[in-house]
């Protein structure tokens, strides 16, 4: 059989199947240099880390180098299939430009050093700041690509050892709304559904979720259902004509920023037509009357005017989800990265609560994650949550965590919610945070309004540590750079978007002096001398399995209970879904069967927030509203976007992902097949918008907002009129001309959803103009206005500041 080109055909061949049947196995593999499986020295068990699907795979090793991958046929997630990033992304491990030794800033330049010198500078600075200002001067900004063992160790050190509340990750940019929406509706995080719901559903609704590009193997599963008997119907909500939209029974393309209006109209029709389970709602939910009153204001005609979607299409979509016998709904960034992100995502939850479609095959709800281990940041306390889904506003939960860590309760900060990423950078901007440790992420491409982020990280008074596997735009602003091991070079566990826990074994040694992340954290804790209340070392483990056992104890009795999982249990077979304990030793496929929720006031993770202001709901208020721990139907009023088109900026800019890259391309940009598939940034525009402006395919455009400009070639696509799209992956580390702006986040706005605190990447007022035609003929440029500053090139990094321990300007000093 001829080998399929998995760049040209990213989802591979079809293996059709029908409702209730098992998804057939198809094992995908890729080996470098024409190798055959017989030539491989060993296969090492793992799972993919370049998306949130969690595809089980084995790593091929020859001569102590990674040389390929093969899908695991036994794994429940992918049944052997791999996507393009799985097949080719591993090549970044072998890249010649890996960071292999620590770097430290001397005379304004980063130079090589040894681990003792680097850690002396890091630890010395932390000790001095703790003496001068206390824990609030210290912050950690981490990633969605580490392992449980790394996150839990860091969470213990930061929250329990140092006592800082400033711990969050870049998961704030992609998965924060998933957690927030689940906590608003069920008072606790945890995805109710399972990927196996695809096997049973008769309707699949995808809200702002371009699954074909963000989770290509899950889309393969859907495609195989569509190719089989009795296929499901699809609802797609997306302003772009994506592969999902092309396959949809109903495609709604609303104006960006109008998702709450659209969802309220769908709920209006569901309630008006009686397409809900009143018995289920009465028995298992609170808030129906308030929701009913709210959605009465949003008939399809009202939504059609605001969303610019025909009322008949809205009704057709409502009928699809309102009359489905087995409804699976998924939600992702199209809803999450907007000004009413949580409010919109909660309305999707409301559909399932109203219809009683939870905890049964095909009746799934997945508030999706964007990163491979985003779920673990939330579980383990390495983002704006406490470990084990404990409630920061419940003293009994803090007392229990103090017991697990053998600390005094007062040592664990819980005077306010843990600080979210956007606030961390604001505190750094204002000068109260003086030490920022950035781990496995590249905020100088991924955060909004990059000119501002460069200004923050460029301050002399801020000591910046960057822990990564490659030099990036962000390492250029570091005082110390720590070289880390990555996937395949260390052992650990991680959990995908449907709660499936995988073990990833160490396959090869890291390059040079690079170290596993957990080992770096352990060395940091040892040098700081962190102790428990009895004077013993705070961190009790020294290897990944020991850390996992520590995490299991922390999770005991909590919703995300891991106590029934061991490394040995994960070896050889499939991943296992939590909760997994003595009561359910094989894991739990779906949550909330029979209307049993984790919403009891004494057990829940959060009491909820005001949907407009984000203010936390008080414990007494929650107890009065939901004393029996039922699901919560939470209504939301539509509010217009923060930034609307104007005469100067007549378009709406939205940003997103492409199938072939992950985040800021530090890995995928070094995989030849992936980089060749999407080598440069582009901008998408509707045919009518292009025609009105006399623009043609391939023209070089300048895209500007009040914050900056970028340049990109035009692709005329099926995006809705009035909207332009830029992929956000492209920065400057590999740019031939670093003076040309090409990072989409030069243009995005510093604002966030009030509940989840997730930044807004989907709505910004924008303008375009042609710089040159596709044939290379230039267009004269007008004078640049102050409202659209020329940005994009990396400015000078820190000058003259050496990274000696404690060499800091006063908090009020001029950067």
């Amino acid at each position: 059989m001829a080998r399929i080109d998995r760049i040209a055909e990213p989802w591979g061949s079809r293996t059709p199947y029908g409702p209730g049947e098992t998804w057939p196995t198809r094992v995908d593999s890729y080996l470098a240099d024409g190798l055959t499986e017989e030539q491989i020295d060993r296969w090492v068990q793992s799972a993919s880390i370049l998306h949130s699907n969690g595809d089980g795979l084995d790593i091929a090793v020859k001569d102590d180098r990674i040389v390929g991958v093969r899908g695991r046929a036994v794994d429940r997630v992918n049944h052997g299939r791999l996507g393009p990033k799985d097949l080719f992304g591993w090549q970044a491990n072998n890249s010649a430009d890996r960071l292999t030794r620590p770097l430290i800033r001397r005379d304004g330049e980063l130079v090589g050093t040894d681990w003792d010198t680097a850690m002396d500078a890091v630890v010395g600075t932390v000790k001095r700041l703790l003496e001068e200002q206390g824990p609030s001067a210290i912050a950690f900004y981490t990633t969605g690509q580490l392992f449980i063992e790394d996150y839990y160790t860091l969470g213990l050190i930061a929250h329990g050892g140092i006592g800082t509340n400033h711990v969050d990750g870049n998961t704030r940019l992609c998965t924060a709304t998933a957690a927030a929406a689940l906590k608003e509706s069920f008072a606790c995080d945890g995805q109710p559904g399972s990927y196996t719901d695809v096997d049973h559903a008769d309707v699949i609704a995808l809200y702002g979720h371009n699954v074909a590009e963000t989770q290509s193997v899950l889309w393969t599963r859907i495609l195989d259902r569509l190719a089989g008997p009795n296929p499901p119907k699809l609802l797609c909500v997306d302003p772009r004509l994506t592969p999902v939209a092309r396959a949809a029974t109903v495609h709604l393309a609303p104006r960006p920023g109008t998702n709450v209006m659209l969802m309220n109209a769908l709920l209006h029709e569901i309630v008006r037509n009686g397409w809900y389970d009143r018995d289920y709602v009465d028995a298992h939910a609170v808030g129906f009357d308030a929701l009913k009153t709210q959605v009465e204001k949003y008939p399809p005609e009202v939504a059609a005017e605001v969303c610019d979607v025909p009322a008949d299409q809205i009704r057709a979509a409502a009928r699809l989800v309102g009359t489905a016998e087995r409804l699976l709904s998924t939600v992702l960034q199209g809803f999450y990265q907007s000004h009413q992100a949580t409010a919109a995502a909660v309305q999707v939850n409301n559909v399932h609560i109203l219809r009683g479609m939870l905890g049964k095959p095909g009746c799934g709800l997945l508030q999706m994650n964007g990163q491979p281990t985003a779920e673990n940041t939330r579980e383990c306390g390495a983002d704006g949550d406490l470990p084990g889904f404990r409630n920061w506003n419940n003293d009994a939960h803090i007392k229990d965590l103090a017991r697990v860590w053998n600390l005094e309760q007062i040592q664990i900060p819980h005077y306010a919610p843990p600080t979210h990423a956007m606030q961390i950078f604001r505190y750094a901007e204002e000068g109260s945070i003086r030490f920022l440790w950035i781990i496995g992420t590249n905020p100088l491409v991924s955060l909004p309004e990059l000119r501002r982020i460069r200004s923050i990280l460029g301050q002399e008074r801020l000591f910046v540590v960057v822990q990564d596997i490659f030099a990036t735009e962000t390492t250029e602003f570091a005082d110390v750079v720590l070289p880390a091991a990555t996937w395949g070079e260390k052992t650990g566990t991680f959990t995908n978007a449907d709660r499936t826990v995988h073990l990833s074994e160490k396959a090869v040694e890291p390059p040079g002096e690079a170290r596993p992340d957990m080992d770096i954290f352990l060395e940091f804790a040892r040098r700081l001398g962190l102790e428990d209340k009895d004077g013993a070392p705070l961190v009790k483990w020294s290897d990944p399995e020991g850390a996992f056992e520590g995490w299991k104890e922390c999770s005991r009795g909590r919703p995300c209970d891991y106590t029934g999982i061991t490394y040995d249990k994960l070896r050889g077979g499939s991943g296992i879904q939590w909760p997994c304990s003595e009561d359910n030793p094989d894991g739990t496929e779906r949550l909330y069967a029979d209307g049993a929720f984790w919403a009891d006031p004494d057990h829940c993770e959060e009491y909820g927030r005001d949907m407009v202001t984000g203010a936390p709901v008080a414990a007494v208020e929650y107890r009065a509203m939901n004393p029996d721990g039922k699901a919560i139907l939470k209504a939301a009023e539509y509010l217009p976007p923060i930034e609307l088109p104007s005469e100067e900026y007549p378009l709406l800019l939205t940003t997103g992902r492409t199938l072939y890259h992950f985040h800021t391309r530090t890995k995928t940009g070094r995989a030849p097949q992936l980089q060749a598939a999407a080598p440069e940034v582009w901008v998408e525009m509707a045919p009518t918008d292009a025609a009105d402006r006399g623009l043609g395919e391939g023209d070089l455009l300048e895209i500007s907002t009040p914050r900056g400009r970028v340049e990109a070639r035009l692709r005329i696509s099926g995006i809705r009129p009035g909207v332009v799209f830029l992929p956000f992956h492209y920065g400057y580390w590999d740019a031939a001309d670093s003076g040309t702006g090409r990072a989409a986040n030069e243009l995005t706005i510093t604002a966030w959803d009030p509940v989840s605190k997730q930044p807004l990447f989907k709505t910004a007022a924008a303008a375009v103009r042609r710089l040159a035609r596709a044939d290379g003929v230039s267009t004269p440029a007008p004078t640049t206005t102050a409202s659209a500053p020329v940005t994009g090139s990396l400015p000078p990094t820190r000058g003259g500041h050496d990274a000696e321990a404690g060499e800091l300007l006063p908090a009020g000093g001029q950067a």
Side-chain angles (χ1 to χ4, degrees), residues 119-303:
M119 293 305 289
D120 281 347
V122 172
V123 173
T125 301
V126 170
K127 285 183 175 179
R128 283 174 172 77
L129 285 172
L130 289 174
E131 292 175 2
E132 293 173 8
Q133 289 183 231
S136 63
I138 312 299
F140 298 85
Y141 182 60
T142 184
T143 179
Q145 299 175 65
L146 303 184
F147 292 158
I148 287 173
E149 296 77 3
D150 306 322
Y151 291 130
Y152 184 55
T153 301
L154 176 62
L156 170 57
I157 291 169
H159 290 300
I162 293 174
T164 181
N165 215 24
H166 307 324
V167 185
D168 203 2
N170 68 3
T171 51
R172 183 64 53 185
L173 315 182
C174 64
T175 191
T177 299
L182 293 168
K183 287 186 277 191
E184 291 302 317
S185 298
F186 308 111
C188 189
D189 199 349
Q191 302 291 350
S194 168
Y195 290 165
T196 55
D197 289 322
V198 172
D199 307 344
H200 302 275
D202 66 319
V203 173
I204 301 175
L206 302 107
Y207 300 92
H209 182 199
N210 183 11
V211 63
E213 301 199 55
T214 59
Q215 294 165 295
S216 61
V217 169
L218 185 58
W219 179 238
T220 299
R221 192 173 197 148
I222 295 172
L223 287 176
D224 287 351
R225 273 297 317 275
L226 293 175
N230 301 312
K233 296 178 179 178
L234 299 189
L235 167 64
C236 172
V237 179
D238 195 313
R240 299 170 67 210
L241 187 62
T242 63
V244 179
R246 291 188 183 97
T249 311
V250 177
H251 172 212
L252 304 180
R255 286 191 178 103
T258 64
N259 295 325
V260 168
M261 172 65 73
L262 180 66
M263 290 307 305
N264 279 346
L266 296 181
L267 288 165
H268 174 279
E269 289 296 286
I270 289 171
V271 172
R272 185 181 71 84
N273 287 287
W275 294 330
Y276 61 96
D277 186 336
R278 187 63 199 240
D279 290 341
Y280 182 93
V281 170
D282 288 344
H284 302 298
V286 297
F288 175 77
D289 290 341
L291 179 68
K292 182 174 182 287
T293 299
Q294 182 70 273
V295 301
E296 283 175 353
K297 307 171 189 175
Y298 296 89
E301 288 75 16
V302 172

Side-chain angles (χ1 to χ4, degrees), residues 290-463:
L291 179 68
K292 182 174 182 287
T293 299
Q294 182 70 273
V295 301
E296 283 175 353
K297 307 171 189 175
Y298 296 89
E301 288 75 16
V302 172
E305 184 71 22
V306 173
C307 303
D308 191 28
V309 173
D312 287 346
Q313 285 191 21
I314 296 174
R315 288 193 176 90
R319 180 172 294 276
L320 204 60
V321 299
T323 61
E325 295 181 8
R326 296 172 303 281
L327 173 65
L328 167 63
S329 297
T330 71
V331 192
L332 199 59
Q333 312 298 15
F335 272 37
Y336 292 172
Q337 294 176 336
S338 300
H339 70 295
Q340 288 191 287
T342 307
V346 163
Q347 304 318 304
V348 180
N349 296 347
N350 286 344
V351 172
H352 281 261
I353 297 169
L354 284 173
R355 302 220 55 223
M357 291 198 172
L358 294 164
K360 297 178 287 189
C363 301
L365 172 62
L366 293 167
Q367 296 282 352
M368 285 293 187
N369 301 335
Q371 292 194 69
T373 67
E375 187 68 38
N376 303 124
T377 65
R378 286 143 47 187
E379 297 165 2
C380 298
D383 74 344
D385 295 294
L386 291 179
F389 294 160
R390 287 174 172 83
N391 189 336
W392 67 270
N393 204 16
N394 186 325
D395 283 344
H397 288 203
I398 307 303
K399 181 179 180 181
D400 183 62
L401 184 59
R403 174 193 62 80
V404 173
W405 287 349
N406 196 32
L407 295 170
E408 299 295 344
Q409 187 173 336
I410 193 64
Q411 292 178 264
I412 301 173
H414 58 286
Y415 46 84
T419 313
H420 61 89
M422 300 301 288
Q423 192 65 54
I424 286 174
F425 279 86
R426 177 157 290 177
Y427 287 154
E429 185 175 38
E430 294 170 347
S432 62
I433 285 178
R434 306 280 301 288
F435 175 97
L436 180 59
W437 192 334
I438 300 170
I439 303 154
T441 187
N442 189 14
L444 278 173
V445 177
S446 59
L447 279 177
E449 198 172 351
L450 292 178
R451 184 177 51 156
R452 172 176 173 262
I453 303 303
R454 286 190 288 267
S455 173
I456 293 169
L457 294 185
Q459 296 177 100
E460 292 290 340
R461 65 189 177 190
L462 180 65
F463 193 95

Side-chain angles (χ1 to χ4, degrees), residues 310-637:
D312 287 346
Q313 285 191 21
I314 296 174
R315 288 193 176 90
R319 180 172 294 276
L320 204 60
V321 299
T323 61
E325 295 181 8
R326 296 172 303 281
L327 173 65
L328 167 63
S329 297
T330 71
V331 192
L332 199 59
Q333 312 298 15
F335 272 37
Y336 292 172
Q337 294 176 336
S338 300
H339 70 295
Q340 288 191 287
T342 307
V346 163
Q347 304 318 304
V348 180
N349 296 347
N350 286 344
V351 172
H352 281 261
I353 297 169
L354 284 173
R355 302 220 55 223
M357 291 198 172
L358 294 164
K360 297 178 287 189
C363 301
L365 172 62
L366 293 167
Q367 296 282 352
M368 285 293 187
N369 301 335
Q371 292 194 69
T373 67
E375 187 68 38
N376 303 124
T377 65
R378 286 143 47 187
E379 297 165 2
C380 298
D383 74 344
D385 295 294
L386 291 179
F389 294 160
R390 287 174 172 83
N391 189 336
W392 67 270
N393 204 16
N394 186 325
D395 283 344
H397 288 203
I398 307 303
K399 181 179 180 181
D400 183 62
L401 184 59
R403 174 193 62 80
V404 173
W405 287 349
N406 196 32
L407 295 170
E408 299 295 344
Q409 187 173 336
I410 193 64
Q411 292 178 264
I412 301 173
H414 58 286
Y415 46 84
T419 313
H420 61 89
M422 300 301 288
Q423 192 65 54
I424 286 174
F425 279 86
R426 177 157 290 177
Y427 287 154
E429 185 175 38
E430 294 170 347
S432 62
I433 285 178
R434 306 280 301 288
F435 175 97
L436 180 59
W437 192 334
I438 300 170
I439 303 154
T441 187
N442 189 14
L444 278 173
V445 177
S446 59
L447 279 177
E449 198 172 351
L450 292 178
R451 184 177 51 156
R452 172 176 173 262
I453 303 303
R454 286 190 288 267
S455 173
I456 293 169
L457 294 185
Q459 296 177 100
E460 292 290 340
R461 65 189 177 190
L462 180 65
F463 193 95
V464 177
V465 179
V466 178
Q467 182 171 314
D468 214 321
I469 66 174
F470 291 110
T472 67
E473 293 84 349
T474 303
T475 60
E476 292 299 313
F477 285 75
D479 294 287
V480 172
V481 177
L482 303 177
T486 187
W487 167 92
E489 300 165 0
K490 61 181 185 177
T491 293
T493 52
F494 60 95
T495 308
N496 77 346
D498 84 335
R499 297 172 287 104
T500 300
V501 185
H502 285 107
L503 174 66
S504 181
E505 301 265 27
K506 180 179 178 179
V508 297
E509 292 295 327
E513 300 174 32
R515 295 181 179 180
D517 297 278
M518 192 186 77
D519 289 0
I520 297 172
F521 300 149
L522 291 175
E523 176 70 6
F524 175 65
R526 184 189 68 78
R527 286 172 176 261
L528 268 184
L530 300 179
E531 298 177 341
D532 66 15
K533 67 180 182 180
D534 296 324
L538 177 66
V539 184
K540 306 294 192 291
W541 48 84
S542 58
D543 62 11
E545 192 164 5
F548 185 74
E549 291 300 314
W551 160 244
K552 284 166 57 178
E553 186 57 36
C554 184
S555 76
R556 184 182 298 277
R558 295 302 300 156
C560 53
D561 195 324
Y562 279 67
T563 53
I565 303 176
T566 65
Y567 272 28
D568 285 342
K569 195 170 183 176
L570 292 172
R571 286 187 172 111
S574 173
I576 300 170
Q577 290 174 286
W578 65 252
C580 179
S581 62
E582 290 181 357
D583 296 333
N584 41 8
D586 297 322
T588 306
E589 191 166 26
R590 297 173 184 86
L591 305 182
Y592 308 142
D594 302 319
F597 301 100
W598 292 321
D600 181 274
D602 292 324
H603 190 65
C604 68
E605 181 185 6
E606 190 169 290
Y607 301 129
R609 292 174 181 267
D610 183 278
M611 299 288 269
V612 175
T613 67
V617 173
V620 64
E621 183 180 355
Y622 180 83
R623 286 181 182 276
M625 180 266 294
N626 195 18
D628 300 318
K630 297 182 179 183
I632 304 146
L633 290 164
K634 202 154 192 178
E637 177 187 1

